[in-house]
Amino acid sequence: GDWRIHFHVPLFTRDYDGRAWTQSDVARVIGAAERFVKRLALGCALLTALCMAFVDKPLAQWLAVRDTHPHAWERAIAVLEYAAGVEPWKWLGVTVLVAGVVISTLWRRQAAAAWMIVASSHLLARNLTMWSKALTGRLRPHEWHGGAMWLQGGSSFPSGDVVLVASLALPLAVVYPRLRVLVAVPVFAAVARVMAHAHFASDVVGAFALCAAVTALCTWGVDRAFGRAFRRSQPPDGAR
């Protein structure tokens, strides 16, 4: 069978029984992937609001008087930073993604849109994170002592480390649904950042919401640009 990655999902062009994928098969998988990230974005946005209202302050105060072994959590985050390509050189991951887009566009165009989804989601999410941190100015839990926490020159919202890994894991889950297990990685990063007293709960959940929304947007944009052409290249329904 042909196991090449096509556009924004690694659509195997044949099922396990050798049946060629039809236009309906392609549309079904694309639609499922898009619904997954849209629902995740909406759910995380609502959960972020709930955390801000009811969870952030009591959880931060509860953790502040407990030994959560923050240095161990920080070491785990350092490993993820290497895996995500910001260590030992902060542009390593971005360079790999951009190179993947260029190479696939020139030599393996069927895979180009998948690379575009991952690269655009990652770059846009990380840039929005930097702007959001500057605009919100939220203090981190270890900087907050019971007063105002927003517009205080801080950089807590949203979590940059969660965005770093979620902006890779979520688009990869779209372009390759079998890799949805990778979503566990940013979940671990979220727990680690809260346990290290580096972020409030809404910082890490908000990072998920941002990455899911950006992934949905980039998936829609690349599908509009490339997906229709791919779907038309597949056999019509009923064809074998």
Side-chain angles (χ1 to χ4, degrees):
D2 181 359
W3 290 75
R4 292 173 297 178
I5 295 177
H6 292 287
F7 289 93
H8 73 290
V9 284
L11 296 173
F12 299 141
T13 57
R14 295 183 183 276
D15 282 333
Y16 294 113
D17 60 3
R19 180 179 67 85
W21 280 46
T22 66
Q23 293 172 6
S24 292
D25 292 326
V26 176
R28 171 175 52 81
V29 177
I30 288 173
E34 291 178 343
R35 288 192 297 272
F36 166 69
V37 289
K38 287 177 181 177
R39 290 170 180 170
L40 183 61
L42 179 59
C44 287
L46 294 174
L47 185 57
T48 299
L50 290 174
C51 287
M52 288 179 177
F54 303 110
V55 177
D56 283 350
K57 292 181 180 180
L59 179 59
Q61 291 168 338
W62 185 81
L63 290 174
V65 296
R66 285 165 173 79
D67 183 10
T68 59
H69 306 287
H71 295 298
W73 293 107
E74 292 288 0
R75 286 195 293 271
I77 289 295
V79 173
L80 293 182
E81 290 177 347
Y82 270 90
V86 295
E87 294 289 348
W89 180 46
K90 66 179 180 179
W91 300 111
L92 178 61
V94 172
T95 301
V96 170
L97 291 174
V98 172
V101 171
V102 173
I103 293 171
S104 61
T105 300
L106 294 175
W107 286 289
R108 197 162 182 248
R109 306 189 73 178
Q110 288 174 311
W115 279 97
M116 289 178 188
I117 288 282
V118 178
S120 60
S121 298
H122 185 66
L123 292 172
L124 181 57
R126 288 183 65 180
N127 277 280
L128 288 174
T129 297
M130 291 188 293
W131 299 335
S132 297
K133 285 177 177 290
L135 289 173
T136 59
R138 191 184 200 186
L139 297 177
R140 298 179 184 273
H142 63 81
E143 299 171 331
W144 175 67
H145 303 291
M149 65 173 62
W150 298 94
L151 302 177
Q152 301 299 309
S155 59
S156 185
F157 184 84
S159 168
D161 285 299
V162 175
V163 167
L164 176 67
V165 289
S167 61
L168 292 172
L170 292 180
L172 281 172
V174 170
V175 302
Y176 197 171
R178 292 181 179 181
L179 290 180
R180 286 187 182 182
V181 67
L182 288 178
V183 175
V185 179
V187 170
F188 172 80
V191 173
R193 297 306 281 156
V194 172
M195 296 298 288
H197 312 296
H199 284 289
F200 293 97
S202 61
D203 296 336
V204 298
V205 180
F208 265 99
L210 172 65
C211 291
V214 168
T215 299
L217 176 64
C218 293
T219 300
W220 174 83
V222 175
D223 181 48
R224 295 280 293 185
F226 300 99
R228 291 180 178 179
F230 171 60
R231 288 195 288 273
R232 287 195 297 268
S233 71
Q234 301 305 295
D237 295 350
R240 294 290 185 270

